Amino acid sequence: MNRSELVEIFQRTMHACKTEPALICTIGASVKAQRVIFAEEEVPVPEPKRSEPCALILSKDRTLAAAKKYANGKRKVAVLNFASFVTPGGGVTWGARAQEESLCRVSTLYPCLTDDSAASFYSEHKRKIDECLVDRMNNDDCIFTPGVCVLREDTFDGPFLQDRERYAVDVITCAAPDLREPQQLFTVPDEAEFRAQMAKRIRRVLAIAAANGADVLILGAFGCGAFMNPPKVVAKAFEDALAPFRKHFETIEFAVYAPVEDSDNYRAFAEIGGIRKWEELPTPADTASLAERLSALEDKLCAYRHAMGVLMQDGETVAPEGSAEGRGHTMGVLSGMEYALIADPATLQLANDILAVAPQNETVLRRKAELLKKEAEQISRIPENEYTAYVTLTNNASAVWKKAKTTNDYALFASYLEQIVAFNRKFAGYYAPDKAPYDALLNEYEEGMDTATLDAFFAELRATLVPLIRKVARCPQPDDAFLRKSYPIEKQRAFSDAVMELMGIDRNFCTIGETEHPFTNNFTNRDVRITTHYYEHAPESSMFSVIHEGGHAIYELDIDDAYNHTLLSGGVSMAVHESQSRFYENIIGRSRAFTQVLFEKFAGIFPEQTAGVTAEDFYRAVNRVEPSLIRVEADEVTYALHVMVRYEIEKQLIAGTLQVKDVPARWNALYKEYLGVDVPDDAHGCLQDTHWSGGSIGYFPSYALGSAYGAQMLAVMERDLGDVYEKVGKGDLSDVRAWLTEHIHKYGCLKKPGELFEQACGKFDPKYYTEYLKRKVADVYGIETE
């Protein structure tokens, strides 16, 4: 188009701005909020709004054509105006064709720039020109104009948009260095100095956009047209300036208009690190190929984790005592390979692409992408050397912990715990820098959990449990002397097999091993491994650890086959997982109905030890309420107090208000305060659990939460099934397992933990748990508990 035609289009736009009431109001609002920001004025930059760096996009669109893609009313869009610093709108009034003129020709920007509120920007620069003071290189002055209405398509002859199609953008007006003048009038700096000066100006533009809440920012080849700025240097300057601002925006798009005959600018900006070309972005049609790429990545990732899991299982169960170093080396190598796979920028990009284009009804694919995105974001923040060092540390710490516990030597383990706490404190900042460190760690085990919620939860438990325990202390205790007799270990192993059979655990897919601290490991729903330990004079320890770990195993065994070797395999959170183990261990395992069946098996294997003992005696003995030292052997009522001790210590360790060397003393004091017991040594105190040696700080509250979740599940199950215990008393757990599979197990990680629980049981209410415990105590001790 010729200049006269462009002037005519501009004039029609200005006529609309002067005659349409809606546009008159829009312009009035813009100029009222518009302000000149001179270079010496500081622009406070707010905290980043996002946890991940924004997308960097390169397109061949004009500035406002690019902006239109995001102007859906939900995102705030800002654009950079490559301005003349002496004339509002540049040459728009005489038909010039550059970027600023295009903006003014199709929007309400020109009336704003010619308003008195912007006059000081231009008058100051004209004064400096007149006085030969103007610095064409270091002019960082800007105008911020909010709510500019785009009323025409951004083309040379763009038609007017319908009212419903019009959209608003914020405009940041800034002039690039102007290299057109003869060099005798000013000195053009060398490339490095020019790049630094341009980066400084760009940072100012970014700061203004961030300070005014932009979600999307449209930039471009700033000054690379009429002002003759070198595109490669300008592109590098943008790259230099972007890093501190990447988390302030959702998207930054470089709209670099590139006719075929002039693509140097486009090629230069394509070299910016991490930028993606618009035409190469995925579309919904690419969903299937993205899913294939994700599946291939999952195969590798799950293979590495399977191998490391088998090594860990071996080290905890049957490996020679001195084998930790070699195993740690191998796990360090494997963890490095796992790290490289997840931290690869292409992995996060894959997750983001799936979430951007996959249809909402692709729930499985989108959930996988959500989990991958979270993991990739977190792990990419952790330096690789720290990640692999931590894996090696926890492998070695586990071996040292076992020796320390066996020899009652806390000092042996303390240096390892110091390193683990330091790593976790640092990792918490990587995981969620916007959260308190311990809250960030809690979220790794139960998404959405924080100390405020747990403090309230434990306070409610304490208010119920402490008086309940005191009331029980005044009652005659059930006789459990028969459980202190000698129970040969070989026969206890046989009884464990019987218990697993009674629970309906298919031994083709689940083994049982022995370890210092029982745990369950899962690789697929066809390879689950539980462990236990045996004490000759305490058969109930192994009995209920097998039922507890068996509950974990059943959860894993009943996850949908489709999730094997994917990110959806395994339980969704530790509290949900512990709800299953604690449900089987206590709500089923210690019920009157089940203990009758269990006692029949037990008496069959140990007839001499149980001579004269009835099923009712057995029921009361295994439900004895008595403050004790060991968490895994604690009764249902006092159990949560054991968890509270660990919770308080973890909070203090991560906060730095408790030193590792002081943990034993603090542990002993809390046990005395909460449970009224004296801790004789560290083996029966702070060395009793394996969790800290494995780095699991933030895990312990899941046990208490899981117990409470399980009580609420029982209430809903009874609503759905009627008398749950009728079939349980006949040794038939099929209805219980079917309900749990249908509502919890089969989903694996498909749903978030809070969503999964609420869909199954409604909003979480700890009163289900406290009421359950009161009923249980009333039944066992024959007392009123209200």
Side-chain angles (χ1 to χ4, degrees):
M1 299 186 73
N2 60 41
R3 291 183 183 275
S4 62
E5 290 173 315
L6 292 174
V7 170
E8 183 180 350
I9 291 171
F10 170 66
Q11 290 174 343
R12 288 201 295 269
T13 299
M14 291 304 98
H15 177 75
C17 289
K18 293 174 183 177
T19 59
E20 291 188 26
L23 293 180
I24 293 171
C25 289
T26 296
I27 294 167
S30 294
V31 299
K32 184 176 182 180
Q34 178 174 258
R35 67 189 189 95
V36 177
I37 308 169
F38 286 110
E40 59 271 16
E41 182 179 341
E42 184 179 351
V43 178
V45 180
E47 289 297 314
K49 296 191 290 186
R50 293 169 174 82
S51 61
E52 61 179 286
C54 67
L56 295 181
I57 307 298
L58 175 64
S59 74
K60 297 180 180 180
D61 290 332
R62 295 178 184 278
T63 297
L64 293 177
K68 186 178 180 181
K69 295 179 293 196
Y70 305 97
N72 56 10
K74 297 179 181 178
R75 289 174 285 192
K76 192 174 185 182
V77 182
V79 303
L80 173 60
N81 172 22
F82 310 164
S84 163
F85 68 107
V86 292
T87 307
V92 68
T93 59
W94 48 267
R97 302 162 63 94
Q99 188 250 18
E100 180 175 26
E101 289 81 359
S102 295
L103 299 184
C104 291
R105 200 161 33 243
V106 302
S107 75
T108 60
L109 178 61
Y110 185 78
C112 299
L113 296 182
T114 53
D115 184 78
D116 289 346
S117 60
S120 60
F121 178 86
Y122 299 102
S123 61
E124 179 67 9
H125 298 155
K126 288 176 182 177
R127 181 187 66 79
K128 289 181 177 179
I129 288 177
D130 292 342
E131 298 177 10
C132 297
L133 299 173
V134 69
D135 185 345
R136 298 180 183 276
M137 294 303 304
N138 291 294
N139 176 22
D140 293 343
D141 302 337
C142 297
I143 305 171
F144 177 72
T145 312
V148 172
C149 178
V150 182
L151 57 148
R152 306 184 76 131
E153 291 287 1
D154 187 12
T155 59
F156 286 127
D157 57 350
F160 279 102
L161 299 170
Q162 298 293 320
D163 287 351
R164 66 178 182 277
E165 297 174 322
R166 294 177 178 180
Y167 56 96
V169 297
D170 294 344
V171 178
I172 301 169
T173 294
C174 184
D178 185 352
L179 305 188
R180 296 174 299 175
E181 294 293 327
Q183 291 192 15
Q184 62 267 27
L185 297 182
F186 65 96
T187 302
V188 177
D190 62 24
E191 180 177 310
E193 185 180 351
F194 177 83
R195 176 171 163 180
Q197 290 180 0
M198 179 61 92
K200 174 173 169 284
R201 188 163 311 175
I202 292 166
R203 281 192 289 271
R204 188 160 184 81
V205 170
L206 294 168
I208 292 170
N212 288 279
D215 298 305
V216 176
L217 181 57
I218 309 298
L219 303 172
F222 187 33
C224 297
F227 283 8
M228 301 178 65
N229 287 201
K232 289 184 179 180
V233 180
V234 173
K236 288 297 183 184
F238 268 110
E239 190 169 12
D240 296 341
L242 283 171
F245 294 92
R246 289 284 301 276
K247 293 182 181 179
H248 285 82
F249 308 103
E250 173 191 311
T251 302
I252 294 176
E253 180 169 332
F254 289 89
V256 181
Y257 183 59
V260 175
E261 67 275 10
D262 181 19
S263 58
D264 286 349
N265 291 347
Y266 185 83
R267 284 194 293 268
F269 278 77
E271 297 300 315
I272 291 176
I275 204 164
R276 303 182 77 195
K277 296 179 180 178
W278 180 266
E279 63 269 23
E280 295 174 356
L281 296 179
T283 68
D286 299 313
T287 299
S289 63
L290 292 171
E292 288 180 6
R293 287 174 54 198
L294 177 58
S295 180
L297 185 147
E298 286 178 303
D299 277 345
K300 289 183 180 179
L301 193 56
C302 291
Y304 291 144
R305 291 173 176 174
H306 190 166
M308 286 191 287
V310 170
L311 283 170
M312 186 279 281
Q313 179 85 23
D314 185 69
E316 292 289 338
T317 53
V318 297
E321 183 177 340
S323 65
E325 182 179 353
R327 185 170 57 256
H329 175 78
T330 301
M331 290 183 74
V333 172
L334 289 172
S335 67
M337 297 167 72
E338 178 195 30
Y339 176 95
L341 190 63
I342 303 172
D344 186 338
T347 297
L348 179 57
Q349 193 62 67
L350 174 61
N352 283 331
D353 285 348
I354 291 171
L355 292 172
V357 304
Q360 291 297 321
N361 61 2
E362 291 271 7
T363 53
V364 171
L365 179 60
R366 292 186 66 85
R367 177 60 173 160
K368 288 180 179 180
E370 286 177 4
L371 293 169
L372 181 63
K373 177 183 173 72
K374 178 183 177 183
E375 191 168 1
E377 287 174 353
Q378 287 186 344
I379 205 168
S380 62
R381 299 178 192 131
I382 303 173
E384 182 176 3
N385 64 316
E386 292 183 15
Y387 182 82
T388 55
Y390 185 64
V391 172
T392 303
L393 170 66
T394 53
N395 171 76
N396 295 338
S398 180
V400 172
W401 166 79
K402 282 192 281 188
K403 184 175 181 180
K405 181 181 178 182
T406 302
T407 59
N408 187 33
D409 186 357
Y410 177 76
L412 182 66
F413 177 60
S415 63
Y416 288 85
L417 183 56
E418 284 178 350
Q419 296 176 71
I420 289 168
V421 168
F423 265 115
N424 273 270
R425 194 180 292 129
K426 184 184 294 186
F427 286 178
Y430 296 146
Y431 295 155
D434 58 328
K435 296 181 183 294
Y438 191 57
D439 285 350
L441 297 175
L442 290 170
N443 266 263
E444 292 304 292
Y445 300 98
E446 190 67 12
E447 185 177 355
M449 191 51 56
D450 56 34
T451 52
T453 302
L454 286 173
D455 285 346
F457 170 65
F458 284 126
E460 183 165 347
L461 293 190
R462 192 181 296 112
T464 298
L465 298 182
V466 171
L468 189 60
I469 293 167
R470 288 173 180 165
K471 182 174 285 190
V472 170
R474 296 192 293 268
C475 298
Q477 284 288 3
D479 184 5
D480 65 350
F482 69 94
L483 292 174
R484 306 286 78 85
K485 296 180 180 179
S486 173
Y487 289 82
I489 302 302
E490 281 302 317
K491 288 190 175 183
Q492 287 195 52
R493 293 189 179 110
F495 180 65
S496 294
D497 292 335
V499 170
M500 293 177 71
E501 181 181 3
L502 186 59
M503 295 179 71
I505 296 174
D506 190 336
R507 297 299 295 278
N508 288 313
F509 307 121
C510 182
T511 62
I512 182 169
E514 296 175 30
T515 188
E516 177 64 29
H517 190 105
F519 65 92
T520 296
N521 222 342
N522 61 289
F523 304 113
T524 70
N525 70 355
R526 293 294 180 269
D527 185 357
V528 182
R529 309 181 191 189
I530 73 171
T531 61
T532 189
H533 55 202
Y534 297 103
Y535 303 128
E536 181 183 353
H537 297 284
E540 75 280 10
S541 178
S542 175
M543 182 189 312
F544 287 101
S545 81
V546 170
I547 299 174
H548 177 99
E549 303 303 335
H552 283 306
I554 289 171
Y555 186 178
E556 296 293 338
L557 292 166
D558 289 347
I559 291 173
D560 194 308
D561 291 346
Y563 303 150
N564 280 333
H565 312 295
T566 78
L567 294 166
L568 301 184
S569 65
V572 67
S573 75
M574 291 321 305
V576 174
H577 229 308
E578 294 302 340
S579 76
Q580 301 310 285
S581 59
R582 300 284 294 168
F583 186 94
Y584 272 97
E585 177 190 355
N586 296 314
I587 293 174
I588 297 299
R590 285 186 164 90
S591 68
R592 176 176 272 106
F594 189 75
T595 53
Q596 290 177 345
V597 181
L598 193 63
F599 181 69
E600 183 179 343
K601 300 279 187 183
F602 187 65
I605 293 176
F606 300 105
E608 293 181 7
Q609 293 89 337
T610 57
V613 178
T614 67
E616 179 65 16
D617 295 333
F618 181 73
Y619 166 68
R620 286 169 54 79
V622 298
N623 281 289
R624 181 180 172 123
V625 175
E626 186 175 21
S628 60
L629 292 168
I630 307 300
R631 176 187 61 84
V632 295
E633 296 168 10
D635 58 83
E636 284 186 90
V637 178
T638 63
Y639 182 85
L641 299 179
H642 291 261
V643 175
M644 289 183 211
V645 170
R646 291 149 177 83
Y647 170 64
E648 294 297 336
I649 288 176
E650 287 188 343
K651 281 198 300 184
Q652 294 170 31
L653 283 172
I654 297 303
T657 57
L658 177 68
Q659 300 302 308
V660 166
K661 65 182 178 60
D662 298 323
V663 165
R666 182 63 177 152
W667 180 288
N668 299 350
L670 287 173
Y671 259 80
K672 186 67 173 178
E673 178 184 347
Y674 289 177
L675 289 145
V677 297
D678 294 309
V679 180
D681 54 50
D682 293 336
H684 291 85
C686 60
L687 285 173
Q688 66 181 266
D689 295 304
T690 187
H691 301 64
W692 292 340
S693 71
S696 297
I697 296 178
Y699 184 139
F700 280 116
S702 300
Y703 288 111
L705 282 170
S707 298
Y709 287 175
Q712 192 161 337
M713 287 177 193
L714 173 66
V716 180
M717 191 184 296
E718 289 177 325
R719 180 198 67 194
D720 293 346
L721 302 179
D723 186 356
V724 169
Y725 293 111
E726 181 180 359
K727 291 180 72 172
V728 169
K730 299 174 183 177
D732 183 354
L733 305 185
S734 59
D735 284 355
V736 169
R737 184 167 179 173
W739 190 95
L740 292 171
T741 298
E742 180 61 26
H743 293 88
I744 305 294
H745 299 172
K746 71 179 184 181
Y747 294 104
C749 292
L750 180 62
K751 300 181 180 182
K752 294 181 179 180
E755 173 193 6
L756 178 70
F757 182 83
E758 288 201 14
Q759 287 183 0
C761 301
K763 189 172 180 61
F764 173 58
D765 184 351
K767 282 187 168 52
Y768 284 98
Y769 183 42
T770 55
E771 291 301 313
Y772 161 79
L773 291 176
K774 287 192 287 187
R775 291 196 304 272
K776 186 67 163 291
V777 167
D779 184 57
V780 172
Y781 285 87
I783 59 174
E784 293 293 330
T785 56
E786 293 299 331

